[in-house]
Short mmCIF file of all heavy atoms in Angstrom, two decimals:
data_model
loop_
_atom_site.label_atom_id
_atom_site.label_comp_id
_atom_site.label_asym_id
_atom_site.label_seq_id
_atom_site.Cartn_x
_atom_site.Cartn_y
_atom_site.Cartn_z
N MET A 335 0.85 -1.20 0.00
CA MET A 335 -0.02 0.02 0.01
C MET A 335 0.87 1.24 0.00
O MET A 335 1.91 1.35 0.68
CB MET A 335 -0.89 -0.03 1.22
CG MET A 335 -1.75 1.26 1.35
SD MET A 335 -2.43 1.46 2.96
CE MET A 335 -3.74 0.25 2.99
N ASN A 336 0.50 2.22 -0.76
CA ASN A 336 1.20 3.49 -0.82
C ASN A 336 0.65 4.42 0.25
O ASN A 336 -0.51 4.81 0.19
CB ASN A 336 1.06 4.08 -2.20
CG ASN A 336 1.93 5.32 -2.35
OD1 ASN A 336 2.41 5.91 -1.33
ND2 ASN A 336 2.30 5.71 -3.58
N GLU A 337 1.45 4.79 1.19
CA GLU A 337 0.94 5.63 2.29
C GLU A 337 0.53 7.00 1.80
O GLU A 337 -0.28 7.62 2.47
CB GLU A 337 2.08 5.77 3.37
CG GLU A 337 2.33 4.51 4.13
CD GLU A 337 3.51 4.70 5.08
OE1 GLU A 337 3.80 5.84 5.42
OE2 GLU A 337 4.13 3.70 5.44
N ASP A 338 1.09 7.45 0.72
CA ASP A 338 0.74 8.76 0.22
C ASP A 338 -0.73 8.82 -0.34
O ASP A 338 -1.27 9.86 -0.52
CB ASP A 338 1.65 9.15 -0.91
CG ASP A 338 3.07 9.38 -0.42
OD1 ASP A 338 3.19 9.69 0.80
OD2 ASP A 338 4.00 9.30 -1.18
N GLU A 339 -1.33 7.69 -0.48
CA GLU A 339 -2.67 7.64 -1.08
C GLU A 339 -3.74 7.21 -0.06
O GLU A 339 -4.79 6.68 -0.44
CB GLU A 339 -2.68 6.73 -2.29
CG GLU A 339 -1.85 7.32 -3.41
CD GLU A 339 -1.81 6.43 -4.63
OE1 GLU A 339 -2.43 5.38 -4.63
OE2 GLU A 339 -1.09 6.82 -5.60
N VAL A 340 -3.42 7.42 1.21
CA VAL A 340 -4.39 7.11 2.22
C VAL A 340 -5.22 8.36 2.51
O VAL A 340 -4.72 9.43 2.67
CB VAL A 340 -3.71 6.65 3.53
CG1 VAL A 340 -4.74 6.38 4.63
CG2 VAL A 340 -2.90 5.44 3.27
N TYR A 341 -6.56 8.17 2.52
CA TYR A 341 -7.43 9.33 2.74
C TYR A 341 -8.21 9.12 4.06
O TYR A 341 -8.54 8.00 4.45
CB TYR A 341 -8.42 9.46 1.59
CG TYR A 341 -7.83 10.05 0.33
CD1 TYR A 341 -7.01 9.27 -0.47
CD2 TYR A 341 -8.06 11.36 -0.01
CE1 TYR A 341 -6.42 9.82 -1.55
CE2 TYR A 341 -7.54 11.89 -1.17
CZ TYR A 341 -6.68 11.13 -1.92
OH TYR A 341 -6.12 11.62 -3.05
N CYS A 342 -8.46 10.26 4.73
CA CYS A 342 -9.27 10.23 5.91
C CYS A 342 -10.72 9.90 5.53
O CYS A 342 -11.30 10.55 4.64
CB CYS A 342 -9.21 11.59 6.62
SG CYS A 342 -10.27 11.62 8.08
N VAL A 343 -11.31 8.93 6.15
CA VAL A 343 -12.68 8.50 5.80
C VAL A 343 -13.71 9.60 6.23
O VAL A 343 -14.78 9.64 5.70
CB VAL A 343 -13.05 7.13 6.41
CG1 VAL A 343 -12.21 6.05 5.78
CG2 VAL A 343 -12.87 7.15 7.93
N LYS A 344 -13.37 10.38 7.23
CA LYS A 344 -14.31 11.38 7.72
C LYS A 344 -14.24 12.64 6.87
O LYS A 344 -15.23 13.24 6.55
CB LYS A 344 -14.00 11.76 9.19
CG LYS A 344 -14.51 10.67 10.18
CD LYS A 344 -14.49 11.23 11.58
CE LYS A 344 -13.13 11.42 12.14
NZ LYS A 344 -13.15 11.74 13.59
N CYS A 345 -12.99 13.13 6.58
CA CYS A 345 -12.83 14.40 5.88
C CYS A 345 -12.57 14.25 4.38
O CYS A 345 -12.68 15.28 3.70
CB CYS A 345 -11.64 15.12 6.53
SG CYS A 345 -11.66 15.09 8.31
N ASN A 346 -12.28 13.06 3.98
CA ASN A 346 -11.95 12.80 2.56
C ASN A 346 -10.78 13.69 2.08
O ASN A 346 -10.80 14.24 0.96
CB ASN A 346 -13.17 13.01 1.71
CG ASN A 346 -13.02 12.36 0.32
OD1 ASN A 346 -12.38 11.32 0.22
ND2 ASN A 346 -13.60 12.95 -0.65
N VAL A 347 -9.81 13.88 2.92
CA VAL A 347 -8.62 14.59 2.53
C VAL A 347 -7.40 13.64 2.67
O VAL A 347 -7.46 12.71 3.44
CB VAL A 347 -8.36 15.84 3.42
CG1 VAL A 347 -9.48 16.82 3.18
CG2 VAL A 347 -8.22 15.47 4.85
N ARG A 348 -6.42 13.92 1.86
CA ARG A 348 -5.26 13.02 1.86
C ARG A 348 -4.48 13.18 3.15
O ARG A 348 -4.18 14.26 3.62
CB ARG A 348 -4.34 13.34 0.66
CG ARG A 348 -3.16 12.45 0.54
CD ARG A 348 -2.24 12.79 -0.63
NE ARG A 348 -2.93 12.39 -1.87
CZ ARG A 348 -2.36 12.51 -3.04
NH1 ARG A 348 -1.09 13.01 -3.16
NH2 ARG A 348 -2.95 12.15 -4.13
N LEU A 349 -4.11 12.03 3.76
CA LEU A 349 -3.31 12.06 4.95
C LEU A 349 -1.89 12.48 4.60
O LEU A 349 -1.39 12.19 3.53
CB LEU A 349 -3.33 10.71 5.61
CG LEU A 349 -4.70 10.15 5.97
CD1 LEU A 349 -4.52 8.88 6.85
CD2 LEU A 349 -5.60 11.14 6.61
N VAL A 350 -1.27 13.17 5.51
CA VAL A 350 0.12 13.60 5.38
C VAL A 350 0.96 12.97 6.48
O VAL A 350 0.46 12.75 7.60
CB VAL A 350 0.26 15.16 5.45
CG1 VAL A 350 -0.45 15.78 4.26
CG2 VAL A 350 -0.29 15.67 6.73
N ALA A 351 2.23 12.68 6.14
CA ALA A 351 3.11 12.10 7.12
C ALA A 351 3.64 13.15 8.12
O ALA A 351 4.18 14.18 7.70
CB ALA A 351 4.29 11.46 6.45
N LEU A 352 3.28 12.94 9.38
CA LEU A 352 3.74 13.88 10.40
C LEU A 352 4.47 13.14 11.49
O LEU A 352 4.13 12.01 11.79
CB LEU A 352 2.51 14.61 11.01
CG LEU A 352 1.76 15.56 10.09
CD1 LEU A 352 0.53 16.09 10.80
CD2 LEU A 352 2.65 16.77 9.71
N LYS A 353 5.39 13.84 12.08
CA LYS A 353 6.12 13.24 13.25
C LYS A 353 5.16 12.97 14.36
O LYS A 353 4.41 13.90 14.83
CB LYS A 353 7.25 14.15 13.68
CG LYS A 353 8.47 14.05 12.81
CD LYS A 353 9.61 13.43 13.58
CE LYS A 353 10.93 13.50 12.78
NZ LYS A 353 10.91 12.61 11.65
N THR A 354 5.16 11.78 14.87
CA THR A 354 4.24 11.36 15.88
C THR A 354 5.04 10.66 16.98
O THR A 354 5.91 9.87 16.66
CB THR A 354 3.16 10.39 15.31
OG1 THR A 354 2.46 11.06 14.24
CG2 THR A 354 2.16 10.02 16.39
N THR A 355 4.74 11.00 18.19
CA THR A 355 5.43 10.34 19.32
C THR A 355 4.62 9.15 19.78
O THR A 355 3.41 9.19 19.93
CB THR A 355 5.54 11.29 20.52
OG1 THR A 355 6.04 12.52 20.03
CG2 THR A 355 6.40 10.73 21.60
N PHE A 356 5.28 8.04 20.01
CA PHE A 356 4.65 6.93 20.63
C PHE A 356 5.58 6.30 21.63
O PHE A 356 6.81 6.46 21.52
CB PHE A 356 4.08 5.95 19.64
CG PHE A 356 5.08 5.02 18.99
CD1 PHE A 356 5.22 3.72 19.48
CD2 PHE A 356 5.87 5.44 18.01
CE1 PHE A 356 6.13 2.87 18.89
CE2 PHE A 356 6.76 4.61 17.36
CZ PHE A 356 6.91 3.30 17.87
N THR A 357 5.06 5.62 22.56
CA THR A 357 5.85 5.03 23.63
C THR A 357 5.77 3.52 23.49
O THR A 357 4.68 2.95 23.38
CB THR A 357 5.34 5.46 24.98
OG1 THR A 357 5.32 6.92 25.01
CG2 THR A 357 6.29 4.99 26.12
N TYR A 358 6.90 2.86 23.57
CA TYR A 358 6.98 1.43 23.49
C TYR A 358 8.06 0.93 24.40
O TYR A 358 9.20 1.44 24.33
CB TYR A 358 7.17 1.01 22.06
CG TYR A 358 7.26 -0.48 21.83
CD1 TYR A 358 6.12 -1.27 22.07
CD2 TYR A 358 8.40 -1.09 21.39
CE1 TYR A 358 6.19 -2.65 21.84
CE2 TYR A 358 8.48 -2.49 21.20
CZ TYR A 358 7.34 -3.22 21.42
OH TYR A 358 7.44 -4.54 21.24
N LEU A 359 7.79 -0.05 25.26
CA LEU A 359 8.78 -0.54 26.20
C LEU A 359 9.47 0.58 26.97
O LEU A 359 10.65 0.57 27.19
CB LEU A 359 9.84 -1.37 25.44
CG LEU A 359 9.31 -2.61 24.71
CD1 LEU A 359 10.43 -3.32 24.01
CD2 LEU A 359 8.65 -3.59 25.76
N LYS A 360 8.61 1.53 27.38
CA LYS A 360 9.06 2.67 28.21
C LYS A 360 10.05 3.57 27.50
O LYS A 360 10.73 4.40 28.14
CB LYS A 360 9.64 2.18 29.54
CG LYS A 360 8.62 1.47 30.41
CD LYS A 360 9.21 0.98 31.73
CE LYS A 360 8.20 0.24 32.53
NZ LYS A 360 8.80 -0.33 33.75
N HIS A 361 10.12 3.46 26.17
CA HIS A 361 10.94 4.39 25.42
C HIS A 361 10.01 5.22 24.52
O HIS A 361 9.01 4.75 24.02
CB HIS A 361 11.89 3.63 24.56
CG HIS A 361 12.99 2.86 25.34
ND1 HIS A 361 14.20 3.39 25.60
CD2 HIS A 361 12.89 1.64 25.88
CE1 HIS A 361 14.87 2.52 26.31
NE2 HIS A 361 14.09 1.45 26.51
N GLU A 362 10.44 6.50 24.32
CA GLU A 362 9.67 7.38 23.43
C GLU A 362 10.34 7.36 22.06
O GLU A 362 11.54 7.41 21.96
CB GLU A 362 9.64 8.79 23.98
CG GLU A 362 8.50 8.98 24.92
CD GLU A 362 8.18 10.46 25.07
OE1 GLU A 362 8.98 11.26 24.66
OE2 GLU A 362 7.09 10.76 25.62
N PHE A 363 9.52 7.32 21.06
CA PHE A 363 10.03 7.27 19.69
C PHE A 363 9.30 8.31 18.83
O PHE A 363 8.13 8.61 19.10
CB PHE A 363 9.89 5.90 19.06
CG PHE A 363 10.63 4.84 19.78
CD1 PHE A 363 10.05 4.14 20.80
CD2 PHE A 363 11.98 4.58 19.50
CE1 PHE A 363 10.76 3.16 21.50
CE2 PHE A 363 12.70 3.66 20.22
CZ PHE A 363 12.04 2.92 21.22
N TYR A 364 9.98 8.84 17.87
CA TYR A 364 9.36 9.73 16.90
C TYR A 364 9.35 9.00 15.57
O TYR A 364 10.39 8.67 15.04
CB TYR A 364 10.09 11.07 16.79
CG TYR A 364 10.08 11.87 18.09
CD1 TYR A 364 11.07 11.69 18.99
CD2 TYR A 364 9.06 12.74 18.31
CE1 TYR A 364 11.04 12.36 20.20
CE2 TYR A 364 9.02 13.47 19.49
CZ TYR A 364 10.03 13.27 20.46
OH TYR A 364 9.99 13.98 21.58
N VAL A 365 8.16 8.88 15.02
CA VAL A 365 8.06 8.21 13.73
C VAL A 365 7.09 9.09 12.83
O VAL A 365 6.22 9.77 13.35
CB VAL A 365 7.50 6.78 13.81
CG1 VAL A 365 8.52 5.90 14.52
CG2 VAL A 365 6.15 6.76 14.52
N ASP A 366 7.33 8.96 11.55
CA ASP A 366 6.41 9.64 10.62
C ASP A 366 5.22 8.74 10.35
O ASP A 366 5.42 7.61 9.87
CB ASP A 366 7.16 9.97 9.27
CG ASP A 366 8.14 11.05 9.46
OD1 ASP A 366 7.91 11.97 10.23
OD2 ASP A 366 9.21 11.00 8.78
N LEU A 367 4.08 9.20 10.76
CA LEU A 367 2.84 8.40 10.53
C LEU A 367 1.88 9.25 9.71
O LEU A 367 1.78 10.47 9.87
CB LEU A 367 2.20 8.00 11.85
CG LEU A 367 2.96 7.05 12.76
CD1 LEU A 367 2.23 6.82 14.02
CD2 LEU A 367 3.18 5.71 12.05
N PRO A 368 1.11 8.58 8.85
CA PRO A 368 0.08 9.29 8.08
C PRO A 368 -0.99 9.87 9.04
O PRO A 368 -1.56 9.14 9.85
CB PRO A 368 -0.49 8.24 7.16
CG PRO A 368 0.45 7.11 7.21
CD PRO A 368 1.14 7.19 8.53
N ARG A 369 -1.23 11.19 8.93
CA ARG A 369 -2.20 11.80 9.78
C ARG A 369 -3.08 12.80 8.98
O ARG A 369 -2.59 13.43 8.07
CB ARG A 369 -1.51 12.57 10.90
CG ARG A 369 -2.45 13.28 11.86
CD ARG A 369 -1.72 14.03 12.90
NE ARG A 369 -1.03 13.13 13.86
CZ ARG A 369 -0.55 13.58 15.05
NH1 ARG A 369 -0.66 14.85 15.39
NH2 ARG A 369 0.00 12.75 15.86
N CYS A 370 -4.36 12.84 9.34
CA CYS A 370 -5.27 13.77 8.70
C CYS A 370 -4.94 15.19 9.18
O CYS A 370 -4.97 15.48 10.35
CB CYS A 370 -6.69 13.40 9.07
SG CYS A 370 -7.93 14.59 8.35
N PRO A 371 -4.68 16.09 8.22
CA PRO A 371 -4.38 17.47 8.55
C PRO A 371 -5.63 18.22 9.10
O PRO A 371 -5.53 19.30 9.65
CB PRO A 371 -3.84 18.09 7.29
CG PRO A 371 -4.43 17.27 6.19
CD PRO A 371 -4.65 15.88 6.70
N SER A 372 -6.81 17.64 8.86
CA SER A 372 -8.07 18.32 9.24
C SER A 372 -8.47 17.94 10.61
O SER A 372 -8.70 18.77 11.51
CB SER A 372 -9.11 18.00 8.23
OG SER A 372 -10.34 18.62 8.61
N CYS A 373 -8.63 16.60 10.89
CA CYS A 373 -9.15 16.20 12.18
C CYS A 373 -8.09 15.54 13.07
O CYS A 373 -8.32 15.26 14.25
CB CYS A 373 -10.32 15.20 12.00
SG CYS A 373 -9.83 13.59 11.36
N GLY A 374 -6.91 15.33 12.52
CA GLY A 374 -5.82 14.77 13.32
C GLY A 374 -5.79 13.27 13.54
O GLY A 374 -5.00 12.72 14.26
N GLN A 375 -6.69 12.58 12.80
CA GLN A 375 -6.77 11.18 12.93
C GLN A 375 -5.51 10.57 12.38
O GLN A 375 -5.03 10.86 11.31
CB GLN A 375 -7.98 10.67 12.08
CG GLN A 375 -8.05 9.17 12.03
CD GLN A 375 -8.39 8.54 13.36
OE1 GLN A 375 -9.29 8.96 14.04
NE2 GLN A 375 -7.64 7.48 13.70
N VAL A 376 -4.86 9.70 13.15
CA VAL A 376 -3.67 9.03 12.73
C VAL A 376 -4.05 7.64 12.14
O VAL A 376 -4.86 6.92 12.74
CB VAL A 376 -2.65 8.81 13.93
CG1 VAL A 376 -1.51 7.97 13.46
CG2 VAL A 376 -2.25 10.15 14.46
N TYR A 377 -3.52 7.39 10.98
CA TYR A 377 -3.78 6.12 10.33
C TYR A 377 -2.57 5.20 10.54
O TYR A 377 -1.45 5.53 10.08
CB TYR A 377 -4.05 6.24 8.85
CG TYR A 377 -4.27 4.95 8.17
CD1 TYR A 377 -5.50 4.33 8.20
CD2 TYR A 377 -3.18 4.31 7.54
CE1 TYR A 377 -5.66 3.12 7.58
CE2 TYR A 377 -3.34 3.11 6.93
CZ TYR A 377 -4.60 2.54 6.95
OH TYR A 377 -4.76 1.30 6.34
N VAL A 378 -2.75 4.08 11.25
CA VAL A 378 -1.67 3.08 11.39
C VAL A 378 -2.24 1.75 11.01
O VAL A 378 -3.04 1.22 11.73
CB VAL A 378 -1.13 3.08 12.84
CG1 VAL A 378 0.07 2.15 12.90
CG2 VAL A 378 -0.74 4.47 13.28
N SER A 379 -1.75 1.21 9.96
CA SER A 379 -2.13 -0.11 9.57
C SER A 379 -1.41 -1.11 10.45
O SER A 379 -0.36 -0.83 10.97
CB SER A 379 -1.79 -0.38 8.10
OG SER A 379 -0.43 -0.43 7.92
N GLU A 380 -2.02 -2.29 10.55
CA GLU A 380 -1.34 -3.36 11.39
C GLU A 380 0.03 -3.69 10.85
O GLU A 380 0.96 -3.85 11.56
CB GLU A 380 -2.24 -4.56 11.37
CG GLU A 380 -1.82 -5.63 12.36
CD GLU A 380 -2.78 -6.80 12.44
OE1 GLU A 380 -3.92 -6.65 11.91
OE2 GLU A 380 -2.41 -7.84 12.95
N GLU A 381 0.12 -3.64 9.56
CA GLU A 381 1.41 -3.98 8.91
C GLU A 381 2.40 -2.91 9.21
O GLU A 381 3.55 -3.22 9.55
CB GLU A 381 1.13 -4.03 7.38
CG GLU A 381 2.30 -4.68 6.60
CD GLU A 381 1.95 -4.86 5.15
OE1 GLU A 381 0.81 -5.30 4.86
OE2 GLU A 381 2.78 -4.54 4.32
N LEU A 382 2.01 -1.65 9.14
CA LEU A 382 2.90 -0.57 9.46
C LEU A 382 3.33 -0.63 10.89
O LEU A 382 4.51 -0.42 11.22
CB LEU A 382 2.20 0.78 9.14
CG LEU A 382 3.02 2.02 9.44
CD1 LEU A 382 4.29 2.11 8.57
CD2 LEU A 382 2.18 3.29 9.26
N ALA A 383 2.37 -0.86 11.75
CA ALA A 383 2.72 -0.90 13.23
C ALA A 383 3.75 -2.02 13.51
O ALA A 383 4.64 -1.77 14.23
CB ALA A 383 1.44 -1.14 14.00
N LYS A 384 3.52 -3.14 12.90
CA LYS A 384 4.51 -4.25 13.14
C LYS A 384 5.86 -3.84 12.61
O LYS A 384 6.86 -4.16 13.23
CB LYS A 384 3.97 -5.50 12.39
CG LYS A 384 2.88 -6.20 13.15
CD LYS A 384 2.46 -7.51 12.38
CE LYS A 384 1.34 -8.17 13.12
NZ LYS A 384 0.75 -9.25 12.26
N GLY A 385 5.92 -3.23 11.46
CA GLY A 385 7.16 -2.79 10.89
C GLY A 385 7.88 -1.84 11.80
O GLY A 385 9.08 -1.94 12.05
N LYS A 386 7.14 -0.89 12.34
CA LYS A 386 7.74 0.11 13.24
C LYS A 386 8.22 -0.57 14.52
O LYS A 386 9.32 -0.22 15.05
CB LYS A 386 6.68 1.19 13.60
CG LYS A 386 6.31 2.09 12.42
CD LYS A 386 7.55 2.89 11.93
CE LYS A 386 7.15 3.79 10.79
NZ LYS A 386 8.34 4.44 10.17
N MET A 387 7.42 -1.47 15.06
CA MET A 387 7.86 -2.18 16.28
C MET A 387 9.14 -2.96 16.04
O MET A 387 10.04 -3.02 16.87
CB MET A 387 6.73 -3.10 16.78
CG MET A 387 5.52 -2.38 17.32
SD MET A 387 5.99 -1.15 18.61
CE MET A 387 4.47 -0.26 18.78
N THR A 388 9.21 -3.56 14.87
CA THR A 388 10.46 -4.33 14.54
C THR A 388 11.65 -3.37 14.46
O THR A 388 12.73 -3.67 14.99
CB THR A 388 10.26 -5.05 13.20
OG1 THR A 388 9.14 -5.86 13.32
CG2 THR A 388 11.47 -5.87 12.91
N GLU A 389 11.44 -2.22 13.84
CA GLU A 389 12.49 -1.24 13.80
C GLU A 389 12.93 -0.83 15.25
O GLU A 389 14.15 -0.71 15.51
CB GLU A 389 12.01 0.02 13.07
CG GLU A 389 12.10 -0.09 11.55
CD GLU A 389 11.55 1.22 10.91
OE1 GLU A 389 11.77 2.29 11.47
OE2 GLU A 389 10.97 1.10 9.79
N VAL A 390 11.97 -0.59 16.05
CA VAL A 390 12.29 -0.15 17.40
C VAL A 390 13.03 -1.23 18.19
O VAL A 390 14.03 -0.96 18.80
CB VAL A 390 10.95 0.20 18.14
CG1 VAL A 390 11.17 0.37 19.64
CG2 VAL A 390 10.33 1.50 17.58
N GLU A 391 12.55 -2.42 18.05
CA GLU A 391 13.21 -3.56 18.76
C GLU A 391 14.68 -3.66 18.28
O GLU A 391 15.57 -3.93 19.07
CB GLU A 391 12.46 -4.82 18.57
CG GLU A 391 11.17 -4.85 19.42
CD GLU A 391 10.29 -6.00 19.08
OE1 GLU A 391 10.64 -6.76 18.23
OE2 GLU A 391 9.21 -6.08 19.73
N MET A 392 14.86 -3.53 17.02
CA MET A 392 16.23 -3.66 16.46
C MET A 392 17.08 -2.51 16.94
O MET A 392 18.26 -2.73 17.30
CB MET A 392 16.16 -3.65 14.96
CG MET A 392 15.62 -4.93 14.39
SD MET A 392 15.47 -4.97 12.58
CE MET A 392 17.20 -4.93 12.12
N SER A 393 16.55 -1.32 17.03
CA SER A 393 17.33 -0.16 17.49
C SER A 393 17.69 -0.37 19.01
O SER A 393 18.75 0.09 19.41
CB SER A 393 16.63 1.16 17.20
OG SER A 393 15.51 1.22 18.04
N LEU A 394 16.77 -0.94 19.74
CA LEU A 394 17.04 -1.16 21.15
C LEU A 394 18.16 -2.20 21.32
O LEU A 394 19.04 -2.06 22.20
CB LEU A 394 15.84 -1.62 21.85
CG LEU A 394 14.70 -0.57 22.05
CD1 LEU A 394 13.45 -1.24 22.71
CD2 LEU A 394 15.16 0.50 22.94
N GLU A 395 18.15 -3.17 20.53
CA GLU A 395 19.16 -4.28 20.65
C GLU A 395 20.53 -3.78 20.23
O GLU A 395 21.56 -4.31 20.74
CB GLU A 395 18.74 -5.47 19.77
CG GLU A 395 17.55 -6.23 20.39
CD GLU A 395 17.03 -7.27 19.44
OE1 GLU A 395 17.59 -7.44 18.35
OE2 GLU A 395 16.04 -7.94 19.77
N ASP A 396 20.58 -2.74 19.45
CA ASP A 396 21.89 -2.19 19.04
C ASP A 396 22.54 -1.43 20.17
O ASP A 396 23.77 -1.27 20.20
CB ASP A 396 21.71 -1.24 17.84
CG ASP A 396 21.44 -2.04 16.59
OD1 ASP A 396 21.70 -3.22 16.57
OD2 ASP A 396 20.94 -1.40 15.60
N LYS A 397 21.78 -1.01 21.18
CA LYS A 397 22.37 -0.21 22.21
C LYS A 397 22.99 -1.09 23.34
O LYS A 397 22.69 -2.19 23.47
CB LYS A 397 21.27 0.66 22.81
CG LYS A 397 20.92 1.83 21.87
CD LYS A 397 19.71 2.61 22.41
CE LYS A 397 19.30 3.67 21.33
NZ LYS A 397 17.98 4.21 21.63
ZN1 ZN B 70 -9.92 13.73 9.02
#
């Protein structure tokens, strides 16, 4: 799926990638997630979330 072509179902506007903070394993991370510029709804697919979690776990293991 192309993240650039995700639309908000409420506003029907294209989501834009914005830096979003999330916390995982007591660590804070900044990731670019597709977010609606109108209502602020963040779109995270299960696939994307898994990919981000894998990235985070790998970065933690490097430390
Ligand atoms: Zn919206």
Side-chain angles (χ1 to χ4, degrees):
M335 178 197 284
N336 188 341
E337 290 175 22
D338 291 337
E339 293 179 1
V340 178
Y341 285 75
C342 177
V343 292
K344 282 195 292 188
C345 314
N346 198 33
V347 295
R348 184 180 286 186
L349 303 191
V350 294
L352 292 174
K353 279 247 186 292
T354 303
T355 310
F356 78 101
T357 306
Y358 180 65
L359 297 178
K360 296 180 180 175
H361 293 265
E362 274 200 344
F363 299 92
Y364 295 91
V365 293
D366 289 326
L367 293 177
R369 179 182 289 196
C370 174
S372 179
C373 70
Q375 174 68 46
V376 176
Y377 176 84
V378 186
S379 68
E380 190 176 343
E381 193 173 317
L382 177 65
K384 282 181 182 171
K386 291 297 181 189
M387 289 306 168
T388 302
E389 280 180 30
V390 166
E391 285 171 359
M392 287 176 69
S393 69
L394 288 177
E395 286 171 3
D396 286 342
K397 287 173 186 167

